[in-house]
Structure formats: structure tokens, C-alpha cells
């Protein structure tokens, strides 16, 4: 059977690299989204326009946020916008492609590192065309875990986020880290640099491409409760191995966030 998505996959890599080369606006105009700390810039909008103009489909869930059976691009033009605004050196272009609601391939271009991560279902995960694979560490006391505090500053949620981080740190683990971009964090899981990354509050466009890359690198992607990953739920745990995932799940203080598709979050049975 003709491989109908291979050309789209290869083209997405080209587009991600081109988008990652966009010159930074001199007088960068910084706007805000859901809160005063959830930033978006004119560069986000310019890069998104370049990507959408290049790609054959025109649906970006950033606007629609309803994943249908149609072939759909899930794009984050500048993942790590706050980093970008402050010159903190982790910014990524994330492009994923879904068909009948299943993620088919993902591309993450970490622009300032010049690292092109890519993966397609069943065909492996790569960084700059070299195969990548997750860490083989199963003892959490020998792990580095990534979690981010996100952009919600509601005291009750911040309390849960930091209480979770404290419990995980004191397991103990070797360290807690965060690059400030979910897409890059997931690629760090895929390369084995860290053992897991979880976050409540991310969006589908932050993690869609990274989910394919982690899975193809031999890792797992779940809901933070241990149930199946739900792309629109705004909750995600990616890990190198279920032993690490299970141990982290025990410590996560889950809180509700509105889904990307607006549907009520259904409690999923845990996979463990
Ligand atoms: O907004 P953005 O830079 O595209 O995406 C970012 C995510 O990649 C990150 O994981 C999260 O912690 C930040 O709050 C922000 O949402
Ligand atoms: Mg993002």
C-alpha cells in the first residue's frame, strides 16, 4: 500500500527547520493568553502563519481544539514562549500529525540547540537523524524527573504543584529539572537524559509531537492518574519505564483543568 503520510512527515521536518530559523522581531511585542504570565508574541503568530501556509491541511488545533477524524496538524509554533521572551535558551517548534484521532508522526525542532527530533509510528525516533532511546534506569532514586509549574498562579493549584515536586524530590531522586518547553522536555525523556516528565495544564499542541517521539524511543505516555493518555485532557506523564511512572503517579496531587476540547474530563481506570 502506498505510504501516504511519508511525504507529509518529511515535509513537516523541512517546515519545522524553516520555522525555527525565523528571525526574532527586534521590538518583540509580548501579549498574554490565559494569564499575565502566559505569554504569546508576534513571533508565535508569524511562525504559525509560515507553518500553516506551508502545510497541506489548514486545521491547527490551537484554534479549533476539537480533534476530528480528518487528517489534522497539531502545531505549537513557539513552545517555550516565556523562555523566548526572556532569552532563556530552550525554544522549540512542535508539529504533530493525527489521522482518525491517532497521532501518526511528530517533529520537534529545538531551535537554539539545532536539534531536530522526529518520529513516525512504527519507524523509530531520531535526533538529527541518529536513533534515540529512553533511559534504562528503573530505580527512581537514580533518576532525574522533569516537572513544570506552568502558567496557572491559583494558590491552591500552585500548592499542589509544589507539594508534588517536594514529595518526588524527597523520594529521593537525583534531581528535578524543567526546560520550560514541554516538547523539549519530552525529547529529553526520549533521549534518556531524564527518566520522566509530567505536567498538568499543558495543551495538546505542547505534547502531541513529543508523545510520538517518546513512544518510538521505547517510552510510555500516560494520563497522570496512570490511565491511558488523552491528548485533549491537558494532563500527561511520559516515562522511560512503568516502574518509574508508577512511583511518580503515587506522589502526583491531581487537580482539574478545563480540557482543550471542552469535554468534561472522564476518570480513566489506571493501567497499573
Ligand atoms: O506556552 P508555551 O510556551 O507554548 O508552552 C509552555 C509549555 O511547553 C510548558 O510545558 C508549560 O510549563 C508552560 O507553562 C507553557 O505552557
Ligand atoms: Mg507550548
Amino acid at each position: 500500500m502506498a505510504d501516504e503520510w511519508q511525504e507529509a512527515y518529511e515535509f513537516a521536518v523541512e517546515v519545522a527547520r524553516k520555522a525555527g530559523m525565523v528571525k526574532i522581531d527586534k521590538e518583540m511585542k509580548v501579549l498574554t493568553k490565559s494569564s499575565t504570565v502566559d505569554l504569546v508574541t508576534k513571533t508565535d503568530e508569524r511562525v504559525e502563519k509560515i507553518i500553516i501556509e506551508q502545510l497541506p491541511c489548514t486545521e491547527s488545533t490551537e484554534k479549533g481544539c476539537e480533534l476530528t477524524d480528518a487528517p489534522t496538524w497539531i502545531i505549537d509554533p513557539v513552545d517555550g514562549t516565556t523562555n523566548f521572551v526572556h532569552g532563556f535558551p530552550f525554544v522549540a517548534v512542535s508539529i504533530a500529525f493525527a489521522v482518525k484521532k491517532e497521532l501518526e508522526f511528530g517533529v520537534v525542532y529545538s531551535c537554539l540547540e539545532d536539534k531536530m527530533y522526529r518520529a513516525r509510528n512504527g519507524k523509530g525516533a531520531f535526533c538529527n537523524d541518529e536513533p534515540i532511546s529512553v533511559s534504562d534506569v528503573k530505580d527512581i532514586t537514580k533518576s532525574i524527573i522533569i516537572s513544570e509549574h506552568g502558567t496557572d498562579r491559583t494558590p491552591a493549584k500552585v500548592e499542589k504543584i509544589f507539594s508534588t515536586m517536594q514529595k518526588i524530590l524527597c523520594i529521593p531522586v537525583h534531581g528535578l529539572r524543567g526546560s520550560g518547553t514541554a516538547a523539549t522536555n519530552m525529547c529529553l525523556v526520549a533521549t534518556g537524559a531524564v527518566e520522566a516528565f509530567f505536567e498538568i495544564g499543558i495543551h495538546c499542541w505542547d505534547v502531541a509531537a513529543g508523545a510520538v517521539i517518546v513512544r518510538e524511543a521505547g517510552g510510555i505516555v500516560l494520563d497522570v492518574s496512570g490511565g491511558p493518555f488523552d491528548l485533549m485532557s491537558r494532563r500527561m506523564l511520559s516515562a522511560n519505564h512503568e516502574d518509574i511512572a508508577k512511583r511518580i503517579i503515587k506522589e502526583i496531587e491531581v487537580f482539574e483543568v478545563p480540557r482543550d476540547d471542552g469535554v468534561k474530563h472522564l476518570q480513566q481506570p489506571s493501567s497499573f
Side-chain angles (χ1 to χ4, degrees), residues 100-216:
K100 295 190 176 62
K101 298 188 177 79
E102 291 300 320
L103 291 168
E104 178 61 40
F105 61 72
V107 176
V108 172
Y109 180 47
S110 178
C111 320
L112 303 174
E113 296 180 286
D114 190 22
K115 287 185 176 178
M116 181 66 76
Y117 298 93
R118 61 181 176 82
R120 185 168 174 208
N121 276 351
K123 297 186 185 273
F126 302 87
C127 175
N128 292 348
D129 294 331
E130 290 296 319
I132 55 177
S133 59
V134 296
S135 158
D136 58 7
V137 168
K138 295 184 182 64
D139 176 352
I140 195 155
T141 66
K142 294 183 173 52
S143 72
I144 290 183
I145 307 298
I146 293 183
S147 179
E148 298 276 355
H149 49 65
T151 49
D152 194 316
R153 295 294 183 266
T154 313
K157 289 182 181 172
V158 170
E159 167 69 31
K160 284 181 181 283
I161 290 168
F162 281 95
S163 170
T164 298
M165 285 184 179
Q166 181 180 1
K167 290 192 289 182
I168 290 175
L169 191 61
C170 298
I171 286 176
V173 297
H174 278 179
L176 284 181
R177 297 288 186 275
S179 72
T181 131
T184 304
N185 289 336
M186 294 182 88
C187 292
L188 289 168
V189 174
T191 61
V194 302
E195 277 65 46
F197 161 52
F198 69 94
E199 187 170 353
I200 299 174
I202 37 89
H203 291 283
C204 58
W205 52 83
D206 293 320
V207 298
V212 186
I213 294 168
V214 167
R215 284 174 177 150
E216 286 299 314

Side-chain angles (χ1 to χ4, degrees), residues 31-96:
L31 312 166
T32 57
K33 295 185 292 190
S34 61
S35 73
T36 58
V37 298
D38 190 5
L39 308 182
V40 65
T41 67
K42 282 292 173 209
T43 306
D44 287 78
E45 290 161 6
R46 266 178 61 211
V47 173
E48 183 174 44
K49 191 165 175 294
I50 290 171
I51 295 172
I52 290 180
E53 279 165 359
Q54 302 268 334
L55 295 177
C57 301
T58 56
E59 183 177 354
S60 154
T61 50
E62 178 100 21
K63 300 276 181 298
C65 281
E66 198 241 326
L67 193 56
T68 65
D69 283 350
T72 304
W73 294 102
I74 303 168
I75 301 165
D76 192 346
V78 180
D79 189 38
T81 298
T82 301
N83 290 350
F84 173 69
V85 168
H86 288 268
F88 188 78
F90 291 98
V91 181
V93 177
S94 180
I95 300 176

